[in-house]
Amino acid sequence: MENNRSSWGSNLGFLLAAIGSAVGLGNIWGFPYKMGKCGGFVFLIVYLLLAIFVGMIIMVSELAVGRKTKLSPIDAYQKVSKKFSWIGWLATIAPYLIMTFYTVLGGYCLQYIALNMTKLSFGNEAVNMTGGDIFGAMLTTPLGCVVFTILFIIICMVIVQGGVSGGIEKFNKVGMPALFVMLLIIIVRSLTLPHAAEGLKFMFVPGYAVKAGFIEAQPNLVSVLGTAGGQMFFSLSLAMGAILTYGSYLSKEENLVKNSVIIVFSDTLIALMAGIAVIPAAVANGIAQGTPVGQIKLGGPNLLFVTLQDVFTNMGKLGPLFGVIFYVLVLIAAISSAISLMETIAAHWIDKDLAKGENDTRKSRVFTVSLLILIGAVLVAADGLGSNFSPASLLGISTVPTFLDCFLDFFDCWSEGIAMPLGAMLMALMIGWEVGPDLVLDEVAHGDPSEGFKKFFRFCVKFVVPIVMAFVLAGQMIDFFGGNQMIWYAVSVIALVVFWIIAGTGKKAE
Ligand code: PFF
C-alpha cells in the first residue's frame, strides 16, 4: 500500500503546502482584530509563547505521527493508541465542519472580487452602496451565496483531485509567493494612508485599544490565553488532522523540527503582516470619514467585508484595483487552507482503497467529499449569517447563545470550539503518558534533534500542553455557550483530570 501512496515532490513543496494550510482567513481576518481586542502587544507575547511551547509541540507530534504511520488521521491514531484511538475521528469530523463555513467565506471572497472588478470596469459608482449595504444585500441573497460557494468548492475539488504533488503542491508553489507579493503591495498602500499610524498603535501599543475606545476594558490574562490559544491552533491548522495528513506524505529524510519552526514562523509572520495591511487601512479610512475612532468596526465579518470594502471604495479610481488584489489574496489564502481540509477528509477513503489494492479512486472520493461538504455549506450560505434564518429561529429559541445564532457559529462551535482543543489535549496526554514521547522523538530523530529539544519536548508534551489546552477549552466554551464561567473551567479541569488518569494508568500501548 505504501508504494502507491502519494508523496510530496520536494521538501520545499511540502513546506509551501503546510504554510498554505496554516495561512488562511485566520491570519488575515482573525489575528489582527483579536490582537487589538486583547490589548495588542500583550496578546502578541502570549500568542508567541503559546506558539513555541504548545503549537510547536503539537506540530512536531502531528508530523511525526503522520510520517511514522503513513496513514490518514483515523487509521493513524488507531495504529498508535489503544486508549485514544478515537481522536482520529475528531480530527476528521472537525475538518468537515470547518469546511462547511470556510467554503462559504471563500464564496464571499469570489463575490467581492467580482464586485471590485465591476467597479474597476465601470467606475466606482457602478455599485454605489456602502460596504455595510453591500454585505447586507449579499447575505440576504442566498442564491448568490450558494452559487459562489459551489464555485469555491469546485476550485478546491479540482486542485485536490490533481493529487498531493500534482495538485496541492503545485497550487501552493505559485499561490504562496503570489500571496506574499500582494500582501506587500497592500501593506505599502495601507501605511501610506493619512492616520495609518493610529492603526499601528491599536495593534502594537499596550492599552491603546482601551484608551481610544475600541474596547471597554483590557481583558484578563486568562481570557487572553483562551483567545490567543484558540487563534493559534486555528491559524496553525493544528489538531484538525491536516498537518498529520500532510506529514504522512513526507519523506523520512526531512527534518521535522526544522520544518515545524519554519511553518510556525512563517504563519506568525504572515499574520502580523496581514494585521499591518488591514488594521491601519481600516482605522485610517474610518478617521477620514469622520467616524469616532472607537466606533470603527474591527471585529467579526465586518472587518473584511464591510470596513475594508469601504476603504477600497473611498480610495478613488485605483481603489477597486487594490480591492481586486486584496480579495484575490484572501481567496488564495482561503483555497490553500481549504484544500488541506478537503485532503484530510478524502485521505481516509483513499487510504482504505489503496489498502484494498484500488489505486485510482482519488477523483471519485474527492468528488463525494465535496458533495458532503456542500450539504452543510448550503445551510451556512443560505442563512446569511443569521439574517435569513438561524439554528435558534428554526428551534424557536428566543434568548440565543452564540453557538445558535447562525449555522457558521454552530459548526464553528463543535470544530474550533470543542474538537480542536479537546483533540490537542488528548493528543498531548496520549503522547506524553500513554505511548510515551519517544514515539515522536524517534521519528524526529531522522532529523536528529538535540538533547535540549528532547528535554523541552518531553516537558511540554507531558505538562504544558495539556494544562494550557484545558484553559483554551474553557475559553472556547465560555465564548460559545456563555453562562457561568466557573462551570466551564470546572468542566475543563474535570475533563483534563479524567483523561490524564486514563492516559497514565493501566496497560501501556506497545
Ligand atoms: N489555518 C487556517 C486559517 O488560519 O484560516 C484554517 C485551518 C486550515 C484550520 C486547516 C485547520 C486546518 F486543518
Side-chain angles (χ1 to χ4, degrees):
M1 166 182 155
E2 281 187 17
N3 292 341
N4 293 319
R5 206 162 182 274
S6 307
S7 59
W8 302 107
S10 65
N11 193 49
L12 178 69
F14 157 76
L15 277 174
L16 288 173
I19 293 169
S21 170
V23 171
L25 296 167
N27 300 60
I28 297 166
W29 185 1
F31 185 87
Y33 86 82
K34 285 184 190 164
M35 181 171 170
K37 282 205 155 176
C38 289
F41 205 62
V42 184
F43 176 88
L44 185 60
I45 298 297
V46 174
Y47 185 93
L48 290 178
L49 289 175
L50 285 173
I52 294 167
F53 288 97
V54 182
M56 267 290 295
I57 301 300
I58 296 290
M59 176 80 66
V60 173
S61 304
E62 280 203 43
L63 288 177
V65 171
R67 188 171 71 175
K68 184 180 171 65
T69 57
K70 295 229 165 287
L71 291 168
S72 48
I74 294 178
D75 293 323
Y77 282 103
Q78 266 166 11
K79 192 162 176 181
V80 296
S81 171
K82 293 232 163 6
K83 297 172 184 170
F84 297 106
S85 54
W86 50 277
I87 309 177
W89 283 99
L90 285 183
T92 305
I93 294 168
Y96 171 77
L97 296 174
I98 299 245
M99 275 301 265
T100 61
F101 61 85
Y102 217 82
T103 52
V104 176
L105 298 171
Y108 292 173
C109 293
L110 285 169
Q111 284 174 281
Y112 273 70
I113 294 169
L115 170 83
N116 283 282
M117 280 185 165
T118 309
K119 284 166 161 265
L120 188 63
S121 305
F122 303 105
N124 244 326
E125 300 70 32
V127 184
N128 199 4
M129 288 157 86
T130 64
D133 288 342
I134 291 169
F135 192 48
M138 183 183 77
L139 292 181
T140 47
T141 313
L143 181 64
C145 294
V146 171
V147 167
F148 281 93
T149 299
I150 294 175
L151 192 57
F152 183 84
I153 294 178
I154 292 176
I155 296 172
C156 296
M157 183 183 82
V158 170
I159 297 171
V160 179
Q161 282 181 331
V164 173
S165 70
I168 298 173
E169 186 170 342
K170 250 192 195 150
F171 175 82
N172 283 295
K173 270 188 164 163
V174 179
M176 284 303 107
L179 178 144
F180 194 78
V181 173
M182 290 186 216
L183 196 50
L184 284 178
I185 296 174
I186 301 290
I187 287 179
V188 171
R189 179 67 277 233
S190 167
L191 291 184
T192 48
L193 290 169
H195 309 296
E198 290 300 304
L200 289 178
K201 283 195 214 158
F202 171 83
M203 283 181 74
F204 295 108
V205 177
Y208 185 76
V210 181
K211 207 171 112 206
F214 286 104
I215 48 173
E216 270 169 28
Q218 181 75 35
N220 64 39
L221 204 61
V222 176
S223 109
V224 175
L225 194 70
T227 310
Q231 172 63 24
M232 188 268 294
F233 263 81
F234 189 76
S235 185
L236 289 174
S237 302
L238 294 174
M240 304 257 186
I243 294 295
L244 188 154
T245 307
Y246 274 13
S248 75
Y249 304 132
L250 194 58
S251 118
K252 288 279 180 203
E253 278 88 66
E254 307 308 341
N255 185 329
L256 298 186
V257 180
K258 204 162 109 199
N259 277 348
S260 301
V261 172
I262 295 173
I263 300 167
V264 173
F265 175 81
S266 308
D267 183 65
T268 311
L269 177 73
I270 301 272
L272 273 172
M273 286 174 66
I276 296 172
V278 164
I279 299 284
V283 175
N285 180 62
I287 294 174
Q289 300 303 311
T291 313
V293 174
Q295 284 173 26
I296 300 167
K297 286 257 170 28
L298 295 174
N302 275 346
L303 174 63
L304 217 53
F305 298 113
V306 175
T307 315
L308 278 169
Q309 182 51 49
D310 279 335
V311 173
F312 299 123
T313 303
N314 295 333
M315 258 181 203
K317 276 208 163 51
L318 278 182
L321 181 62
F322 285 106
V324 172
I325 296 176
F326 178 76
Y327 289 109
V328 168
L329 174 173
V330 184
L331 179 71
I332 295 175
I335 294 175
S336 63
S337 297
I339 53 180
S340 72
L341 292 160
M342 198 180 252
E343 174 67 23
T344 303
I345 309 165
H348 173 68
W349 284 286
I350 297 172
D351 273 353
K352 289 262 176 269
D353 295 336
L354 281 175
K356 284 188 265 162
E358 295 169 27
N359 293 331
D360 234 359
T361 58
R362 168 171 285 270
K363 282 203 168 73
S364 62
R365 291 302 189 186
V366 173
F367 179 74
T368 313
V369 168
S370 305
L371 278 185
L372 289 176
I373 290 169
L374 182 62
I375 297 172
V378 165
L379 278 175
V380 180
D383 87 351
L385 301 183
S387 315
N388 308 321
F389 58 91
S390 67
S393 70
L394 294 179
L395 293 168
I397 296 173
S398 51
T399 36
V400 183
T402 306
F403 84 109
L404 290 178
D405 63 11
C406 63
F407 274 97
L408 187 155
D409 280 333
F410 182 71
F411 291 133
D412 193 24
C413 166
W414 301 112
S415 49
E416 200 189 345
I418 310 241
M420 181 202 70
L422 189 63
M425 180 204 282
L426 293 175
M427 180 179 203
L429 292 174
M430 174 197 98
I431 290 174
W433 301 93
E434 187 200 4
V435 297
D438 285 347
L439 174 108
V440 170
L441 292 172
D442 289 347
E443 182 63 30
V444 167
H446 296 286
D448 201 14
S450 64
E451 275 311 308
F453 178 80
K454 287 184 183 169
K455 275 196 192 133
F456 170 73
F457 181 84
R458 287 200 179 96
F459 177 71
C460 290
V461 83
K462 279 176 165 249
F463 302 103
V464 180
V465 181
I467 293 170
V468 169
M469 286 331 290
F471 278 106
V472 176
L473 182 63
Q476 298 283 46
M477 290 198 285
I478 291 165
D479 277 352
F480 280 107
F481 299 117
N484 188 332
Q485 299 197 357
M486 288 326 282
I487 293 182
W488 297 122
Y489 284 116
V491 168
S492 299
V493 171
I494 291 169
L496 175 67
V497 173
V498 169
F499 289 125
W500 205 317
I501 293 172
I502 294 175
T505 54
K507 208 168 159 286
K508 299 267 174 218
E510 305 85 53

